[in-house]
Each structure stands twice: as C-alpha cells, then as structure tokens.
Amino acid sequence: MWQRVGPLFWARVQSGPGGGLPIAAIFTQFFLAGLFCALVRDFLPPFAYGVFALSLTAAFLAIPLLGELGWLLRADEAAEWVEALPVTPRDLKIARTLHLGLLLGALALGSLVPAALFAPPETDLVSRLSFPVLGLGFAALI
C-alpha cells in the first residue's frame, strides 16, 4: 500500500500552485505571530497567553485554508487521471489526508514556534518545548 500512497502523496505536494510547501504563508504567520505574541507576553499570565496563542494559531490556519490553500479542500482537478492509475480509493484518501496534514502542520508550526519563543518569562522550559507539540494536536483537531 505505501508503495502506491507515497508517490501519490509527493505528487500532491508538488502539484500545488507554488509546488511544495507554502513558504510565503508560513513566514507571514511566523512574523505576525511573533509580533502579536511579543506584544502580549508581558501582560498575560501563562495560561491566558496559551489560550491567546492557540486562538491565534486557529485563526492563522483558517485564513489560508479559505484563501490560497482552498484548493486542498475542493475536488481534485486531476481526479479522472488519478482514478485511471492502479490505486484504490483508499490510497487516494490516505494521500490526500497526509498532504493536508503536512500543510496544516507546517502552517501551525509557523505560528506555534514564535509563540513558544515569546512565552511569558515565568514559563518553564518544558512548557515552552511542549507548546508546539501540543499545538500540532490542536491543529489536527481543526
């Protein structure tokens, strides 16, 4: 199965409008999240800061999915061609899910890493390191 899913996955990754990961969107989120998190870090306690940063991540994930990455959620333009390949519908769904997961994870890390870097000073190291990991779980729920 993975011999069929792997090439489908990498073909989907390269088939996007820019080919590959949306680097511009990731850097935009990185800088905006860093700016917002740096502005509120001295005024919020750690729990409120975490809620703020996770809400910011949710907003930063929804905006690209509604705009430039909306093609991921719509019907595949090459569906007829892909269905002619010797793959099962299950393989296609797995490849599409992996592709969406990769892009959502990359976009989420674009805003979660600055949030961990700019966490309030009283936040310990374990909390800072676990924030991006737990935030990826939150992004998967979205």
Side-chain angles (χ1 to χ4, degrees):
M1 178 180 77
W2 292 111
Q3 292 83 9
R4 295 183 308 262
V5 172
L8 284 173
F9 168 70
W10 288 112
R12 285 191 60 84
V13 169
Q14 296 301 320
S15 70
L21 292 176
I23 301 297
I26 293 170
F27 278 123
T28 302
Q29 288 183 5
F30 185 84
F31 290 119
L32 286 176
L35 174 71
F36 289 139
C37 290
L39 287 174
V40 301
R41 74 180 277 189
D42 294 330
F43 302 108
L44 294 176
F47 181 78
Y49 176 83
V51 170
F52 169 78
L54 289 177
S55 301
L56 191 67
T57 299
F60 282 166
L61 284 178
I63 291 170
L65 284 177
L66 293 174
E68 69 185 54
L69 296 177
W71 61 273
L72 286 171
L73 303 176
R74 290 189 293 267
D76 193 6
E77 296 173 359
E80 291 179 15
W81 179 79
V82 173
E83 288 172 359
L85 295 173
V87 294
T88 64
R90 181 179 170 210
D91 296 337
L92 295 173
K93 288 178 185 175
I94 291 172
R96 189 171 183 161
T97 304
L98 288 174
H99 183 216
L100 184 61
L102 173 74
L103 288 181
L104 283 179
L107 287 171
L109 284 177
S111 59
L112 289 169
V113 170
L117 292 175
F118 290 113
E122 57 268 9
T123 307
D124 61 338
L125 182 63
V126 174
S127 298
R128 286 179 192 259
L129 293 176
S130 66
F131 191 74
V133 175
L134 296 175
L136 285 174
F138 176 68
L141 288 175
I142 292 176

